[in-house]
């Protein structure tokens, strides 16, 4: 009479929503404390300059101003930490201080801090601080920064190189390229993006003068990690002196993983003043001073045979790290990029070399997908280049090189863990079917006769989710400076209500809903009886937080494990209640009974009551059902899929019309289809935006020309397509739930689908490659120059 | 600093009187003086629409208006949208169709969508997308927002609607 699964797999609406749709969320800027003060920052207008002097006197005299601090005042705290350096090589990690000392390295670098009674006064006083700068020449391009004579961002980093890293087999790859029938070469730029969560970042710090303890409310994806970094590294105080709370977080996309100057300076100023200090960046500050993503310059060669087999891949990438080293900056273009460059293909020889370089720009760190979008863009662009070169259909070329189902677990030879499971061709076939591929090619040919440019772009991707086994990521080869397990505590209270506290930190992913669905099924209790708590280092066991699509595959598994422990203990107590032997007990659908006698059962609520009252428990059994797990995954998970974009390019204006967007994704087993679709939509939107609209653009002087929402083209509803999504399901063998993760797949699969489509639309003009974003101007220029070349 | 100015307005049906600096933005008056923090701030250039409220029945970006300009008017914020314990159909649509993730853009998005439906009871997809061009969402990719507004439009026209599984 085993009851079937009730909640897992159901598209139920989110329990997070009622408060958010009523405007009853609680974001950091919504919090007001008694005696709270407001901070505003004096920021450098120069990309690179010496600070010759700062005169704060006028600002200090301004009514309502409580204090003005400069970098030298805060020398009693350490610079921010570098938590993930490139593995196995030397890193010259120069991290920022709470405020700049002596010199600034990018526009927006903080040079002084104003604290005032209210927000407006603080901003007024910023304009009264006089800073004398000696401007220095600037460099903004990652590759040019390494050239002789380039301005030096940090004395310690010769040629602006923070680290030089490689993976793969250089000799084999050179041999494969030297002996290849066909070699295609390209210079590919993965432009700088600005993550742009709709809530900007900020911190509210309160120092308790009586106890010497801090509380910081922060816009963070990882409050436990911030607590560790701020206490052990920045302030040098016991970890227990700081409580970090992430309330509602208005989107993160990576930007809210890191340790930022404002966390440190609000804490420092609060201790100094004995009053709470709030700092909320405005959007322009977010654009100039919170982290950016991507920004690679790459030289790539792909070798193959005339019949479509890829035999070698050689990659050289200059990864821009910006003006200082951000928290996990060097891990992104190395472990999360170089090690997955061969994508879904079996490529016998590959090598990747990466230089992480300092420039006079905002710091670059993880942005949704983090390394993997750059990798899949590169390989997928090159697969199309190769297909065009040998005159073969791009779908066929992909098919001929896919890793086959029997090859899993698959080792790509680049120092990654083995790919857990995959079956790539069905996803491709399904996507081709959805767009009626053969028919499209006819349509395209007909359209060209009429002077209309239609194009179709393919993208087959694989990504890394559920990061990561601590023994792998923390080892010398990868350089991550900690573990990457996740925690969950599950308690069944006296009344039978279940409370979970998780180290995951949802900021839009619907974790409260998904986790409650899982636990309701696992423990056989009503979904409504399960509460998920998170976000407060005082309440939750230590956890690493939410990024790298790890909430479900790592955090969810920690909870799953705790549920198993609860059931084991419940069986022991039920056996005692039923005067049976524990080993004869089974637990099913929320009830424990002797095998074969399901009618004489104890419900979980009855058992929890017994466990809580505790007057009659079996010998040696502790009261209460309360179990904690720290789950360290044995491997990452590797979702995959094929995306197809169809575009029409207007030959007169260069405008790209994204007519259809089709995706077939395999994210393993699905807990809540509604939430998975939502994650994919948002992910795809960000990839499409990279292909067509967005560019974090610095001029040669290091001025950010896309420094507000006026210039940085976040797409609106009218600029994005309908997403037509299907799935294949290849469960992950890594965890018993068979889940993989869906938070970043959309972004990782999409930019190249759109770019391949745009380039396909222009291929009859001889266009082989174009850099992103494919703005009307760039497309129009490309059309014009290819026409000139043809004349 | 200029002298403070007396203002008086009805906010979510309650009369509010106060004195504000002439330069105080309506959004700050609502959030900081009245504690109505459901109205959000997502930009400093009037692009994002996180701050949309209704002033005398019209959708307005409250970061683009001084509080004194709203003197004498009637303001509705997201907190005032629930009537007699019932969600506004747009709120319901956002919930049913998973029209939000982090929820930060949501109050402004809902207020803008409600304004659209006041003017056009049967908008096409393209009209919905166009009407929401002043509201940015970074999480959803907009598709479910369009579905949410369609749901609300149908509901307001008295037509049958289908929600999520639960
Ligand atoms: S806060 Fe962005 S438009 Fe008002
Ligand atoms: S739901 Fe996060 S910005 Fe729209």
């Amino acid at each position: 009479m085993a009851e079937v699964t009730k909640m897992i797999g159901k598209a139920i609406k989110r329990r997070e929503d009622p408060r958010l749709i009523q405007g009853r969320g609680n974001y950091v800027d919504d919090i007001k404390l008694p005696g709270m003060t407001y901070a505003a920052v004096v920021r450098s207008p120069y990309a690179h300059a010496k600070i010759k002097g700062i005169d704060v006197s006028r600002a200090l005299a301004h009514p309502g101003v409580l204090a003005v601090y400069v970098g030298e005042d805060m020398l009693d705290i350490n610079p921010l930490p570098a938590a993930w350096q490139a593995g196995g090589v030397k890193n010259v990690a120069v991290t920022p201080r709470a405020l700049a000392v002596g010199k600034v390295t990018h526009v927006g670098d903080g040079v002084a801090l104003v604290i005032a009674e209210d927000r407006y006064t603080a901003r007024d006083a910023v304009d009264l601080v006089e800073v004398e700068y000696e401007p220095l020449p600037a460099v903004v391009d990652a590759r040019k920064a390494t050239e002789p004579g380039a301005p030096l961002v940090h004395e310690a980093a010769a040629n602006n190189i923070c680290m030089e890293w490689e993976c793969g087999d250089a000799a084999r790859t050179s041999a494969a390229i030297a002996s290849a029938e066909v070699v295609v070469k390209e210079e590919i730029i993965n432009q700088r993006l600005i993550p742009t969560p709709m809530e900007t970042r900020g911190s509210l710090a309160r120092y308790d003068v009586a106890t010497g303890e801090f509380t910081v409310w922060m816009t963070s994806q990882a409050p436990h990690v911030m607590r560790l970094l701020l206490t052990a590294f920045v302030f040098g105080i016991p970890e227990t002196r700081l409580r970090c709370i992430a309330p509602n977080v208005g989107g993160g996309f990576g930007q809210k993983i890191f340790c930022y100057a404002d966390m440190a300076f609000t804490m420092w100023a609060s201790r100094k003043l004995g009053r709470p200090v709030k700092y909320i960046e405005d959007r322009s500050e977010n654009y100039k001073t919170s982290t950016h993503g991507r920004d690679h310059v790459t030289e790539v060669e792909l070798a193959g045979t005339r019949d479509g087999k890829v035999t070698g891949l050689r990659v050289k990438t200059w990864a821009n790290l910006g003006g200082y080293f951000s928290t996990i900056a060097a891990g992104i273009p190395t472990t999360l990029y170089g090690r997955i460059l061969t994508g879904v293909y079996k490529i016998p020889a590959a090598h990747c070399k990466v230089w992480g370089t300092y420039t006079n720009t905002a710091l670059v760190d993880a942005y949704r997908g983090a390394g993997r979008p750059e990798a899949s863009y590169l390989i997928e662009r090159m697969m199309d280049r190769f297909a065009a070169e040998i005159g073969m259909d791009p779908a066929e070329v992909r098919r001929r090189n896919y890793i086959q189902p029997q090859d899993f677990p698959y080792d790509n030879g680049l120092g990654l863990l083995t790919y857990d499971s995959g079956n790539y061709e069905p996803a491709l076939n399904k996507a081709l079917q959805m767009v009626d591929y053969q028919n499209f090619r006819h349509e395209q040919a007909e359209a060209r006769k009429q002077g209309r440019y239609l194009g179709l772009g393919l993208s087959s991707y694989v990504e890394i989710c559920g990061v990561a086994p601590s023994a792998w990521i923390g080892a010398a080869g990868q350089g991550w400076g900690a573990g990457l397990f996740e925690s969950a505590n599950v308690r069944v209270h006296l009344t039978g209500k279940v409370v979970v506290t998780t180290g995951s930190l949802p900021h839009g992913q619907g974790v409260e809903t998904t986790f409650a669905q899982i636990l309701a099924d696992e423990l056989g209790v009503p979904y409504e009886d399960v509460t998920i708590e998170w976000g407060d280092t005082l309440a939750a066991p230590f956890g690493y937080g939410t990024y790298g699509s790890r909430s479900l595959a790592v955090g969810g598994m920690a909870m799953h494990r705790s549920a198993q422990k609860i059931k084991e203990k419940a069986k022991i107590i039920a056996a005692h209640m039923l005067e049976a032997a524990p080993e004869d007990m089974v637990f099913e659908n929320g009830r424990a009974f002797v095998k074969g006698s399901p009618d004489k059962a104890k419900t979980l609520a009855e058992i929890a009551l017994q466990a809580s009252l505790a007057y009659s428990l079996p010998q040696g059994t502790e009261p209460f059902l309360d179990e904690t797990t720290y789950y360290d995954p044995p491997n990452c998970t590797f979702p995959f899929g094929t995306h197809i974009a169809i575009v029409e390019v207007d030959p007169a204006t260069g405008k790209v019309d994204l007519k259809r967007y089709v995706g077939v994704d395999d994210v393993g087993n699905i807990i809540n289809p509604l939430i998975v679709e939502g994650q994919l939509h948002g992910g795809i939107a960000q990839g499409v935006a990279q292909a067509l609209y967005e560019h974090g653009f610095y001029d040669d002087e290091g001025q950010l020309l896309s420094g507000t929402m006026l210039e940085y083209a976040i797409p609106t509803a009218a600029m994005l397509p309908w997403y037509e999504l299907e799935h294949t399901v290849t469960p992950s063998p890594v965890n018993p739930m068979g889940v993989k993760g869906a938070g970043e797949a959309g972004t990782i699969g999409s930019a190249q689908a759109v770019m391949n489509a745009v380039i396909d639309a222009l291929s009859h003009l001889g266009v082989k490659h174009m850099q992103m974003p494919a703005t009307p101007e760039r497309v129009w220029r490309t059309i014009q120059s290819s026409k000139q070349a043809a004349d | 600093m200029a002298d403070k100015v007396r203002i008086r307005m009805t906010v979510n049906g309650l009369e509010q009187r106060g004195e504000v600096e002439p330069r105080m933005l309506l959004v700050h008056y609502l959030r900081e003086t009245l504690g109505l923090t459901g109205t959000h701030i997502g930009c400093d250039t009037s692009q994002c629409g996180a701050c949309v409220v209704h002033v005398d029945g019209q959708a307005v970006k409250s970061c683009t208006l001084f509080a004194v300009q709203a003197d004498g008017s009637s303001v509705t914020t997201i907190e005032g949208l629930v009537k007699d314990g019932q969600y506004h159909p747009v709120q319901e649509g956002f919930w049913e169709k998973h029209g939000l993730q982090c929820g930060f853009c949501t109050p402004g998005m809902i207020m803008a969508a409600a304004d659209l439906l006041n003017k056009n009871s049967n908008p096409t997809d393209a009209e919905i997308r166009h009407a929401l061009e002043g509201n940015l969402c970074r999480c959803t990719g907009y598709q479910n927002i369009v579905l949410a507004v369609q749901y609300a439009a149908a509901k307001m026209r008295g037509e049958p609607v289908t929600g999520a599984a639960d």
Side-chain angles (χ1 to χ4, degrees), chain A residues 198 250, chain B residues 99-106 136-140 145:
Chain A
M198 290 310 299
Chain B
L100 63 148
Q101 290 179 26
C102 79
F104 197 79
C105 72
T106 311
L136 298 175
C137 174
R138 192 57 156 170
C139 295
T140 64
I145 291 178

